[in-house]
Amino acid sequence: MTETADVLVIGGGIAGIGAAGRIAPDARVIVLEAEDTIGHHSTGRSAAIFIRNYGNATLRALNAASEPELLDPVGIAETSVLSPRGEMMVATSEEELPELAAYREGSDGIEPLTREEALALCPILRPDRVVEAAIERAAQDIDVDRLLQGFARAVRSHGGRIATGAGVVSLARQGAVWRVQSKAGVFEAPIVVNAAGAWADELAALAGVRRVNLRPLRRSAAILPAPVGANVAHWPMVVSASETWYMKPEAGKLMVSPADEDPVDPHDAWPDEMVLAEGLYRFEQAVTMPVTRVEHRWAGLRSFVADRTPVVGFAPDAEGFFWLAGQGGYGVQTSPAMSRLAADLIAHRAPHVAESVVASLSPTRDSLKGELALTEHPVLD
């Protein structure tokens, strides 16, 4: 038996569920998620922080458009999904000063800190490793689950459906509709949204649509116990200026990541023990606390195209095939703006963001061509 809709969204992460929540008031929408739960992959493994100055100019515009809705998520949650945190960038050597300067260039709301101010905010930093520091006090934690579940409720409240265990087996255009054979049945709709995360290029290939050269990159993290006697609740997130590690308080403990970017094939990611060990070593060299125990470790996939900007819009080579992919590490914090933009473009409404932003996200842009530049991290001797 074939189930029909106006729009099929493939992918139950924050991108797909968010878009479906925005589309549902105006159209019959069905979400197809391969896993047994939504948000299983990158969404559920996010660092969960809103940083206004994170990303390039296009992403910063999406951040700015998303912030009001994260603070007042009407129709998604009753109260703000943000809570105070702050993000401190630290140059731990003279060599990192250019990276800190580059990050601050064109930024909004980042202020310099003295060494003493930086140490007061995060007492475990080694004084001799704080060469220069700056802080974005407006950076805030995101309650990712409340945001995701709020979008899911919006889908269902408007008559939409979320089908889990619905991995796509085949996808083809037949006449005026896309026909999707999935593990949960057969579905048809004139429009299909490719929100398949790390699998978005594979889905496009299955549909006979030209790829956008998406590259999944592994990002690892670990939970460490907090220093004995320390109350870390109000510490900011701390990031090395060259982004070779970062630390964030998490439920009374510390989440530390090597900020790795290892190219991998799409899969249910797990951390590489050596990569994680090297990142924890870099963190340990910048702080006074020894890393004696790892309580939990995990990894997720951040997927980028060549220009590290998401891909949002109808494919030029396939009728009714809509790209919503390549969110990298920005998917959660930009989900309010990108989901609304996707719904606007699908409904042929005027977008709520500038035309230049829409153009920079388009699947037809020239900057999609080429190879993704990867971040290099030091290797231990």
Side-chain angles (χ1 to χ4, degrees):
M1 184 175 177
T2 300
E3 191 170 352
T4 62
D6 299 313
V7 180
L8 293 175
V9 177
I10 299 176
I14 194 71
I17 298 295
R22 304 292 198 189
I23 295 166
D26 303 309
R28 165 71 174 163
V29 61
I30 299 175
V31 179
L32 304 180
E33 166 54 46
E35 303 293 343
D36 293 333
T37 59
I38 60 175
H40 176 81
H41 291 287
S42 297
T43 299
R45 307 172 197 191
S46 164
I49 189 163
F50 175 85
I51 303 172
R52 186 183 300 162
N53 293 287
Y54 191 33
N56 60 28
T58 297
L59 286 156
R60 291 185 186 195
L62 293 170
N63 296 340
S66 295
E67 186 175 17
E69 294 194 72
L70 293 170
L71 288 167
D72 186 17
V74 176
I76 304 300
E78 293 183 357
T79 59
S80 172
V81 296
L82 300 180
S83 56
R85 173 59 57 201
E87 184 213 25
M88 182 164 63
M89 300 285 292
V90 178
T92 60
S93 67
E94 295 287 338
E95 288 73 22
E96 286 192 318
L97 291 175
E99 279 97 341
L100 182 57
Y103 186 81
R104 293 184 61 191
E105 186 177 353
S107 65
D108 175 31
I110 295 182
E111 59 185 85
L113 295 172
T114 65
R115 177 183 284 113
E116 290 71 25
E117 288 171 331
L119 294 173
L121 288 168
C122 183
I124 62 169
L125 289 172
R126 281 177 49 183
D128 61 323
R129 296 301 298 272
V130 181
V131 178
E132 198 168 293
I135 190 167
E136 180 180 326
R137 297 187 189 277
Q140 301 187 70
D141 285 343
I142 306 173
D143 190 331
V144 178
D145 188 62
R146 280 183 63 217
L147 183 62
L148 178 69
Q149 298 303 330
F151 278 131
R153 283 193 300 273
V155 174
R156 298 183 180 108
S157 68
H158 289 99
R161 188 161 93 80
I162 300 171
T164 56
V168 174
V169 177
S170 66
L171 171 62
R173 185 79 178 181
Q174 296 184 1
V177 298
W178 285 96
R179 183 176 177 84
V180 179
Q181 176 73 51
S182 82
K183 293 180 180 179
V186 180
F187 301 85
E188 289 184 349
I191 295 173
V192 64
V193 177
N194 181 1
W199 289 264
D201 253 356
E202 279 64 23
L203 184 71
L206 192 64
V209 177
R210 187 169 61 247
R211 295 170 178 259
V212 294
N213 298 321
L214 193 72
R215 200 70 178 98
L217 307 176
R218 183 181 55 215
R219 172 63 56 91
S220 307
I223 295 292
L224 310 181
V228 177
N231 180 3
V232 303
H234 300 295
W235 290 6
M237 180 178 185
V238 181
V239 185
S240 73
S242 57
E243 294 192 64
T244 57
W245 61 268
Y246 65 78
M247 176 208 75
K248 178 175 176 282
E250 190 76 29
K253 303 179 187 296
L254 297 179
M255 180 184 76
V256 178
S257 171
D260 45 322
E261 287 196 336
D262 296 323
V264 294
D265 292 329
H267 70 293
D268 195 352
W270 64 89
D272 180 288
E273 293 298 328
M274 182 57 70
V275 169
L276 186 58
E278 291 174 353
L280 292 176
Y281 175 80
R282 294 193 294 271
F283 163 73
E284 196 173 27
Q285 300 312 295
V287 298
T288 56
M289 65 169 277
V291 176
T292 58
R293 186 171 84 256
V294 172
E295 296 188 357
H296 178 54
R297 67 200 77 198
W298 71 94
L301 301 182
R302 297 149 48 93
S303 299
F304 293 91
V305 294
D307 61 5
R308 291 183 175 258
T309 302
V311 185
V312 185
F314 282 105
D317 57 326
E319 183 180 357
F321 188 94
F322 191 92
W323 283 97
L324 184 56
Q327 290 90 346
Y330 318 98
V332 174
Q333 73 171 43
T334 60
S335 60
M338 280 206 286
S339 60
R340 191 174 295 281
L341 175 59
D344 287 344
L345 294 176
I346 288 169
H348 302 288
R349 294 189 295 259
H352 69 296
V353 294
E355 289 184 9
S356 59
V357 173
V358 178
S360 65
L361 296 167
S362 171
T364 65
R365 65 188 190 262
D366 291 338
S367 55
L368 276 178
K369 301 170 184 175
E371 296 295 323
L372 174 67
L374 300 177
T375 301
E376 294 184 4
H377 292 306
V379 178
L380 296 178
D381 292 332

